[in-house]
Each structure stands twice: as C-alpha cells, then as structure tokens.
Amino acid sequence: MAGKAPQGQLTEMNPVKVKAIIHSLRELYDMGKPETNLELKERIDMFFQFCEDSSVRPGVQALCTALHISRTTLYRWSNGEDCDRERQEIVSMAKSFIDSFLEQVTLSGQVSPPVGIFLLKNWCSYKDTVSIEENIPNTKTTHVLTAAQLPKLGNMAEDSGSNATLPYLADTKLNTIVEYDH
C-alpha cells in the first residue's frame, strides 16, 4: 500500500475485515441514544467492553456512533454546554480514556510514530511547543561591588548632578530602618 493515495487504500482493504468492522459499527449504532446520565454511563461502559471484544478500536467517532450523537454534541458536552456537570464529567472521562488508549498504542509501538503523533495532535490536542523565553540565553551581566567601591557609587551620583539616593535598608537584627547620609 506504500506510495498510493489514501483513498486508494480504502478500496484495497481486506473484505473480511471490512465486513467485521461494519458489523461491529452497526451493533454500536443499533444501541440507540441514551437519555439519562445513568444510561449514558452504562452505554459508555458497554462501548469500551464492545471495543475490547470486537474489531472496533476506541475512538471519538465510534463513541459518538454508540451514543447516537454528533462529534459536535460530544464536544459541547465535554465543555459543559447543554448538559449538567455530571454528564460533562462522564463524557470527559470517556474522552480521557480514548486519549490514554491512543497514547499507549503510540508509546508501545503498536502504531508508527508519525501516525501516533498525528492522532495525538489531532484527536487529543497534543502540541509541539517551544518556549521563546527558555531558548534565549541570559546575557544580563551583574557586577558585585566591593565595600571600597560603595562610597564611589555615591560620589558618582553627586558628580553627575543627580539626586539619586541610596535606598533605605532594614536592619533585620534590630527591626529598625537605617538611613544612610550622603
């Protein structure tokens, strides 16, 4: 199948495998739409058990097929839209399970790295990121003044005509503020 267009690969699939997948998806679809949160939770549990027992691998679209909902509805529920908090948590946990499955098949070498990376980025919102701040070397140079140089610092401010003053320092031993004359 290497070097052929993706749609060409669909026509060359093993007919026995195609039949098994279609049969499994029809079983999912025939379950109907769950109405309550309890039915939703039970259906999701059935979905994952079904995936374990059949040729269907857990994925967002297959989950939507089992729930008789669109991907948009699943997305909205996972964001707490048009549902209560419990439904949001149920759907979020199901999506998290699918994400974990994809991560594990990628990390265990069950799928090629490029396929795994594609799936994780597109289905699980993984991202390649580079922090600009972390990649810029710190070039700021600081100088520590010696005790002999400190009086010169005050003289430099006087010579420049600046009204700069040294800061007030707290004496932590006496809990007093020490003011330096200049």
Side-chain angles (χ1 to χ4, degrees):
M1 282 194 236
K4 296 185 180 185
Q7 62 271 24
Q9 293 179 19
L10 289 174
T11 60
E12 296 178 8
M13 289 178 62
N14 179 332
V16 174
K17 288 185 179 182
V18 170
K19 184 176 181 176
I21 291 171
I22 289 174
H23 176 76
S24 296
L25 289 173
R26 289 188 92 167
E27 282 185 57
L28 283 176
Y29 183 76
D30 290 342
M31 292 180 181
K33 185 177 182 178
E35 297 299 326
T36 67
N37 288 340
L38 179 60
E39 290 175 1
L40 177 69
K41 186 173 180 348
E42 289 171 353
R43 178 63 56 77
I44 290 172
D45 289 342
M46 288 171 58
F47 167 73
F48 288 121
Q49 185 62 52
F50 182 83
C51 290
E52 193 174 325
D53 297 340
S54 72
S55 61
V56 173
R57 301 298 172 252
V60 171
Q61 187 58 54
L63 177 62
C64 291
T65 299
L67 300 176
H68 262 254
I69 60 172
S70 68
R71 289 174 67 99
T72 302
T73 299
L74 189 74
Y75 174 80
R76 291 172 63 83
W77 286 354
S78 69
N79 288 313
E81 299 175 36
D82 302 328
C83 69
D84 60 20
R85 181 83 177 142
E86 182 182 8
R87 182 162 291 220
Q88 179 186 10
E89 289 176 12
I90 293 168
V91 168
S92 293
M93 291 308 299
K95 286 181 67 179
S96 177
F97 188 92
I98 292 169
D99 293 353
S100 296
F101 172 78
L102 291 173
E103 181 183 74
Q104 289 305 305
V105 297
T106 300
L107 292 173
S108 66
Q110 299 299 307
V111 297
S112 69
V115 170
I117 291 167
F118 175 84
L119 292 172
L120 291 169
K121 284 182 177 180
N122 288 282
W123 291 6
C124 307
S125 302
Y126 279 41
K127 292 178 180 58
D128 287 328
T129 59
V130 176
S131 173
I132 302 298
E133 293 80 19
E134 291 174 3
N135 290 321
I136 297 175
N138 184 4
T139 58
K140 182 178 178 183
T141 305
T142 57
H143 299 283
V144 178
L145 298 177
T146 65
Q149 292 172 313
L150 285 175
K152 292 178 186 175
L153 183 64
N155 292 339
M156 286 174 39
E158 288 175 7
D159 292 343
S160 68
S162 170
N163 290 332
T165 60
L166 293 175
Y168 293 101
L169 301 175
D171 186 336
T172 54
K173 290 182 182 173
L174 301 174
N175 275 340
T176 60
I177 295 180
V178 179
E179 184 174 339
Y180 293 93
D181 293 326
H182 38 271

